[in-house]
Structures are given as structure tokens and as C-alpha cells.
Amino acid sequence: MQTTKTNYGALSTLTTVFFFWGFIAAGNSIFIPFCKHYFGLDQFQSQLIDFAFYGAYYLGALGLFVFSTLTRQDLVSTWGYKKSIVNGLLFSALGATMMIISVYLNVFAAMLFGLFIVALGFSLQQTAANPFMISLGDEKTGSNRINLGGGINSFGTTIGPVVVSLALFGSSAAVSDEMISKLSLNKVIFLYACVGCLFLGVAALFGFSKKVPAGKMDSEIPASEKAKKTMVTLLVVTGLLIACFAPVFNSYRSDEAKQLTELKGDLEQLTIGKDNKPIKQLTTAQQETKKDIETEIKKISGPLEKKRMIWLSAGILVVLGGILFANRSAKKNESGWGAMQYPQLSLGMLAIFVYVGVEVAIGSNLSELLKQPAFGSLESSETTPYIAMYWGSMMIGRWSGSINAFNLSNQAKMILKFVVPLIAFGIILGVFKLSGYRIDMLYWYIVCVLLQILAFYVTNDKPAFSLALFGTLGLVCILIGLTSSGTVAIYAFLSAGLFCSTMWSCIFSLSLAGLGKHQAQGSGFLVMMILGGGLIPPIQGKLSDIIGIQPSFIVGAICFAYITFFAIFVNKLLKKQGISLDSDVVSH
């Protein structure tokens, strides 16, 4: 199925799906806080929203694999990449319909299940779309095409909030919690009705497009290549993960958690006035009461947070242990391991796990960091432009990384590698300005963008070299952020987004290289590892409660260190197999 010439017609149609994923994420940024208000969710229930989403990626990919192993038919290869994406979109449309009904009937459990079905559809789409991108041209430029999809995805995420805000509130201004709490039920139902229709519309566009090949591959799995050992290992890992997650979720319903909720309610009653604003001056008696409440909160929350930290850490060790066990066992005897007989894939699964984890963890913890005195003591509303710039940095990097996906002269590519990131940076600042944010504090961030441009010139779109250099630069950024404060540290943490931007595509390309007919199965395993986004951020969050928010970013340093190791080690490994994605890229 691999070709030297890029199929641009299919590529342009496929990128619409990537845009769609990003755009839908903008709808979720409104829908999830609306659900918290509408259903009156407590902390435990709000945790379930993210858990249902990330859990669906893992369980969806695992379900596909188990089905394929038991039936000896790779479902994605049987359907073909094209039909798999269409079916994934139809799944997501069904989930959107269930979410509408659940909100209308005021049933939170049904909303969770609807969100789970939406994410199951996304899991199937991603399992098919990433190897499909690689297959639409030369394997050496596969990472560039995935970057193109990622760049379009980030563009959808960037403009999505503005479009959704205009549709729901008639204004492009930033959406506040107060605006969301006053959002009418009819408008939310209308939003997700439109989302469901878009799912169906894109499915029709993709399904009836003559430009897009079926993408079918040999689907029958010979008895000698059945991956029963991998299936058993992953099912055991899943069982152990459930055993690790259960105590964490149960802890939110414990007597200690109920006491904490009551104490925090008492504290809020004491410190928040009738106008919902903090009381500036408390009486001596009120200050003493506040101190007593805060002491009691720390006394209860300390042991509780440590308990959660232990179980979440155990979950990560289960994933790492399971993959390393499979890798080691497959080295001794390849039979029964399927795609995991390839060390580049098993090591790539860990790389995707930590990559998604560090990407989400930095974005999730930035707001709390910026509230600290050393970082400006910003209010929640003031942190939004910084967090948005972190995610916007993904778009800047992915647009840059996609340039080589087009059949252009070397001179044109050199010019575009300089111009395109600056255009992307300008677009992001323009969207912020349109949304009513202050942007003057972000002007000097252009220095970080110029550093990334230099890195792109140095790496020349070589996947292993790019991943190694960007992993190293990401590690340096985290270390600078850990050892400094103020604007320098803020820019350092934001820059991690620039260097995360192309990692997904590089890891995918390196992990799937040389897998042949196991490529679709390998893609499913990689998508499964999006679970890192559900495990690593809470680990950093719990760690911050113990050692402080700034030191907790050491988690990111560890993740970037492994990604750098993966790039260097797997590049050498592939060369031993007679594969090199870092040789000079040929014209399409």
C-alpha cells in the first residue's frame, strides 16, 4: 500500500477529520463545565468526566485488538482505513445523541456513557487515521503528513472557542464560568445537535469521496502470528489498572472526603461575601476561625492525597511493567506477541504514554503555577491567555513540521519554515485579541518561536533527530522553569508546547516503521497509550500537594528524558533492521 508519490487528494480530505477533532474539543470546553453546574457534580463525579474520555481511548483500542485476536481478523484492516474512520464518526454521532438526551432528562450516568461513546469513536478514527496518513506517500515523510493533520487539528482547537462562543453567546469574548452557568438548556442541546450533524456530515464527505482509497490491507492473521500472549498481558494490565483506580475513586466518597467538602464549604462561607467576591478584611475572630479550618483541612487532606498518589503511581508502574515484560518476553520468543514482537513498537508505546501525559500535565497545572506569587499571583481569568498560548504553541510547531509534506522546491521550504511559524503565532495573537484578552505580555514569546524555527532548520525534518533534539529542548525548558521564576520561567514552560508539537508524529513514524502488516495493530496499541493523559497529570497534581506546584514539574523533566532516550535508541535499533527514516528525504 506504500507509495512514493503523495496522494494529495486523499490527504486534503483526511485532514478535515483532524480539524474536526480539534473543533469538537472546543465544544467540550463549554459542555463539561456546563455539566458540572447543571448536574451539581462533586469532585469525585467531575473526575469521572476525564476518566470516561481517556478510558474510552484505552478500552476502545483494547477491544479492537481482543476482537482481532479471537477472530483472527484485524477489524481495521478488514474494513480498511477509510471505512474505519467513517464508522468511528458514526459512533461519535451516536454518542453526541446520547449526550443530548441525558442532559435533557438530567441523567449524569447517561451523559458519561454518551461521552464514552464519542471518545470510542475518536479511538477508532485515530487508530485508522495515523497509519493512513503514513500510507498516503513515502514512509520517510509520514511524520510530516501526521504533523499536517496535527496542525489542522490545532487550528480547529484555536478557532473553535471563538466560533462556539459566537454561536452560544453572540460574542467572541472569552467565556466565563458565570456565562456558562446561565447558559440555557436549549442552546446546549442545539450545540450538540449541530455537533452530531457535523459528525454525520464529515462521515458522508469521507465515505463518498472518490479521492480517498479504501486503505484495505491483508486482514487475516495466520495462526502462527496470533498475539494471544499480548492479549493476555494487556487484559492482566487492565485488571490491575482497575484495581489501582478503584481505591482512588472510592476515596472521593470516603468519610474524609465528605469532611473536606464540609470544611471547604465552611471556609467559603466565611471568606466569600454576598456579592460572590472575597471579603477583603476579616475580623480577628474570623481570621482565627479561618486558620483553624485550614489546619483541619491540611490534617485530613495530607494522608488522603498521599493514599491517592500511591495508587495512581501503582497504575503507572502497572503500565510500564506490562509493556517492558512484553518487550523482554518477545525478545526470547516472538511467537504469540503480534506487533509487540517489534521492540520499536513496545518502546514507542511508552513514549506515547509519557508524551501525552507530559503534554496534558503541563497544560493542566499551568493555571495553578501562575497563581503563585513568584509567577505574578494571577487570577484564574488572567491565566487563560498563557494556557491558550501553550496549546497554541502546538499549532505553531505542527504547521512548521508539515511543510515537508508538500512537493515544493528546497528554497520554498526554507522560506516557509521561517514564515509559517510566524504567521501561526500572529493568528493565535489575533484570536486572543478578538476574544478580549490582553496580549502585550506575550509579544516577547516570539523569541521562543524563533528558537523553534532554528531547531527545525537544524533537524531538517528527520524524525529521530527531530525527536531527540526536541526532547532535549523540552527537558531544558522544564529545568529552566524549575530553577527560575517570573517571565523567564513562564516562557520556559510555555515553550514546552513548542517542542511537544511534533513529537506525536515522530513517535508514530518511528514506532510503526518496519511493522508491515502489523501496522494497523501497532497503531491501535499506540492509541491505547493515550491513557497517559489520564494518569500522569493527576500524579503531578497530587505531587504538587506534597512538594509544591513548581517542583512538581519534575514529572515533565522525567517524561522528556525518556522521549529523548527513545529517539536515540530506536534510531539505532531501526538501522540494525535496515531501516532509516533519517536519510535524506526524497521528492514526492
Side-chain angles (χ1 to χ4, degrees), residues 67 120 192 351 354 382 404 412 456 482 515 564:
F67 176 86
L120 270 184
Y192 264 80
V354 299
E382 295 174 313
N404 223 43
F456 270 113
L482 286 169
L515 264 64
T564 304

Side-chain angles (χ1 to χ4, degrees), residues 493-556:
F493 286 128
L494 292 182
S495 295
L498 291 170
F499 302 119
C500 274
S501 58
T502 60
M503 286 184 175
W504 172 276
S505 59
C506 292
I507 295 169
F508 247 85
S509 293
L510 292 168
S511 302
L512 297 182
L515 264 64
K517 58 187 172 185
H518 288 110
Q519 200 172 71
Q521 187 185 88
S523 176
F525 290 163
L526 293 172
V527 169
M528 206 181 291
M529 290 298 103
I530 290 176
L531 180 69
L535 277 180
I536 292 176
I539 284 284
Q540 182 174 341
K542 303 306 179 193
L543 189 62
S544 71
D545 291 327
I546 300 168
I547 65 173
I549 184 63
Q550 188 177 7
S552 74
F553 278 83
I554 190 67
V555 170

